[in-house]
Amino acid sequence: MSGPIALIDCNNYYVSCERAFDSSLIGVPVIVLSNNDGCAVARSAEAKALGIKMGEPVHLLRDKIRAHGIRVLSSNYTLYGDMQRRVVAACDAFARDFEIYSIDETFLDLTGFENRDLVAHVNAMRAQVRQWTTIPTCVGIGDTKTLAKLGNAAAKKNPMFDGVADLRDDAVRKWVMDRFPVEDVWGIGGATARKLLALGIGNAGALRDMPMKQARAVGTVVLERLVGELRGVPSDAVETIAPQRKGMAVTRSFGTPVGDFHTLFGALTQYAMRAGEKLRLHGLVAGRLTAFFHTNETQTRPAAICRLAYRRAAPYDQRQPGTHRCGEARRVGRLARRLCVHQSRHPARRFDRGGSSPPDTIRGRHGQARPADGRSGRDQHPLWKVRRHNGVAGV
């Protein structure tokens, strides 16, 4: 691809989504928690200024939350997914194509807009996103994805860019790269960063000037391509068609400890139903099914784990579960075995049934409460449901 690439990133995304529907959160410190309200996974600028770190356990923040009146919210992934679609819709008229990189980041192909003032162009896009969603954004522009990602990080951290960093300008690109730590470059892992630092390569500018042969010797062809991208040679275009999924998972930590098989069976049943919905949504069938659960790792008694895996290719009576140390594992395995047989009659490939299945259609019309497997315990508000905080200050 020959045109410039932009990366638009939503600032403090989860918090910004919550503020869009609750104006009382504006201007006050806010944190959004992970599943079961365990850790802070999103922080407003006010919360960051108070020293709250990403991933910090909420039970260590109780004194700070009470002292500063920090608003604490449970995550709402349905809302965040819907707001992502609105952000992408607001950007649609400003780019030829787009690739959704994550829930709060999108690559934009600006081919055809090169003759415009791209800084003014993306500022107009940011204004439209803000008008449609109230979510603030930053944008990085470059000739490659890596440079766009680098520019976005610079735009977010340095106020001098006013939310937009265009790294197509040689002077701006050099200034940013000479000050950008090599360990923070997109695609550089911890092990590779240590190797580069040992060679005296401490920033993105030094990495750009690294000889290609040496880059391949240090980090294989992956690092070689990264060095090329820092030099403006694209190795990866904007993917307008998402690649077919190779796997998917439905995993949640239980809200409270589960001590009986009936409750565990209900949780496994509902998670399996959700996995089936996701498979049908993407037009796929499963070639392998794995069910796993484990005891509380923080308890003093020895931990136990159960993992049951079944492949499509093996005949039914030859399927063997994985190693386990749980007394009730064989009974759970019977459910996993039946599900695997049902979902594995076809190879692991795209499968078009000509529409949604009846259960999915009914749920789409009448909500998620009906229909449901009678063993899932959905009508009993089971104890394994994820805990959710009410959003007031203090925990």
Side-chain angles (χ1 to χ4, degrees):
M1 184 180 64
S2 57
I5 298 174
L7 175 66
I8 183 168
D9 182 15
C10 301
N11 300 340
N12 310 321
Y13 181 62
Y14 291 175
V15 173
S16 297
C17 290
E18 299 289 350
R19 285 175 167 175
F21 293 91
D22 186 353
S23 59
S24 69
L25 300 176
I26 298 175
V28 300
V30 181
I31 60 174
V32 177
L33 304 180
S34 59
N35 288 332
N36 282 316
D37 294 347
C39 305
V41 294
R43 305 150 296 154
S44 66
E46 298 82 2
K48 293 177 182 178
L50 294 174
I52 297 178
K53 300 178 181 179
M54 173 66 77
E56 193 167 359
V58 70
H59 69 270
L60 300 179
L61 299 172
R62 286 173 179 153
D63 293 341
K64 187 175 291 186
I65 288 171
R66 295 190 183 99
H68 299 281
I70 299 173
R71 299 290 296 273
V72 181
L73 303 174
S74 293
S75 50
N76 184 349
Y77 298 110
T78 302
L79 169 64
Y80 309 148
D82 180 69
M83 294 298 284
Q84 178 202 45
R85 290 187 286 272
R86 299 187 191 191
V87 170
V88 172
C91 298
D92 187 59
F94 293 87
R96 188 183 74 170
D97 288 312
F98 63 87
E99 173 191 342
I100 298 175
Y101 177 65
S102 68
I103 196 167
D104 62 341
E105 295 177 288
T106 301
F107 284 107
L108 305 169
D109 181 358
L110 299 181
T111 300
F113 297 91
E114 298 94 336
N115 296 328
R116 299 189 181 187
D117 181 351
L118 286 187
V119 173
H121 180 73
V122 298
N123 270 322
M125 177 178 66
R126 294 174 64 217
Q128 180 152 304
V129 171
R130 190 69 179 262
Q131 180 182 12
W132 287 20
T133 67
T134 76
I135 295 177
T137 58
C138 288
V139 177
I141 306 172
D143 292 323
T144 67
K145 280 185 174 181
T146 302
L147 289 174
K149 187 81 171 175
L150 198 69
N152 183 270
K156 181 176 290 188
K157 295 179 180 179
N158 199 319
M160 68 176 287
F161 291 109
D162 196 22
V164 178
D166 186 357
L167 297 195
R168 296 177 305 152
D169 183 280
D170 293 339
V172 174
R173 184 170 64 251
K174 184 179 186 305
W175 188 91
V176 170
M177 295 180 74
D178 289 345
R179 290 162 176 79
F180 201 89
V182 69
E183 61 268 22
D184 292 338
V185 175
W186 185 43
I188 297 295
T192 302
R194 288 189 292 272
K195 293 178 182 178
L196 294 172
L197 291 171
L199 294 173
I201 299 174
N203 57 57
L207 179 60
R208 173 203 57 208
D209 298 333
M210 185 180 190
M212 285 292 195
K213 288 185 178 180
Q214 186 182 22
R216 180 185 281 262
V218 171
T220 69
V221 69
V222 176
L223 185 60
E224 183 181 29
R225 290 174 179 172
L226 178 58
V227 171
E229 288 239 332
L230 290 174
R231 297 178 181 179
V233 180
S235 63
D236 188 14
V238 171
E239 296 181 355
T240 59
I241 300 177
Q244 181 174 314
R245 292 194 176 197
K246 297 181 180 180
M248 60 184 65
V250 180
T251 59
R252 294 289 185 276
S253 298
F254 290 169
T256 58
V258 173
D260 64 280
F261 175 77
H262 178 76
T263 304
L264 178 63
F265 196 83
L268 181 59
T269 301
Q270 188 167 136
Y271 291 176
M273 290 173 59
R274 177 57 183 150
E277 292 173 3
K278 293 174 70 173
L279 282 169
R280 293 189 292 273
L281 177 64
H282 293 277
L284 300 172
V285 290
R288 178 187 177 93
L289 176 67
T290 301
F292 65 92
F293 51 91
H294 58 79
T295 54
N296 190 342
E297 296 178 351
T298 63
Q299 293 180 348
T300 56
R301 62 185 181 183
I305 184 170
C306 175
R307 182 177 296 272
L308 303 140
Y310 297 91
R311 287 190 175 90
R312 170 189 56 80
Y316 177 86
D317 57 354
Q318 294 180 11
R319 293 191 177 114
Q320 299 295 326
T323 302
H324 56 79
R325 299 194 301 273
C326 297
E328 298 285 0
R330 297 186 184 279
R331 295 177 63 190
V332 178
R334 285 198 289 271
L335 171 64
R337 186 178 298 116
R338 287 198 298 271
L339 288 171
C340 188
V341 170
H342 174 70
Q343 295 184 352
S344 301
R345 292 174 180 171
H346 303 277
R349 57 176 174 80
R350 189 162 292 280
F351 184 58
D352 185 8
R353 296 182 57 174
S356 301
S357 68
D360 295 337
T361 303
I362 296 172
R363 273 192 289 273
R365 183 180 305 166
H366 300 288
Q368 292 293 322
R370 296 289 188 276
D373 192 303
R375 295 165 293 188
S376 66
R378 297 184 72 160
D379 295 335
Q380 305 171 17
H381 193 71
L383 297 176
W384 49 264
K385 284 285 190 180
V386 173
R387 292 195 304 268
R388 294 187 61 81
H389 199 271
N390 59 14
V392 300
V395 290

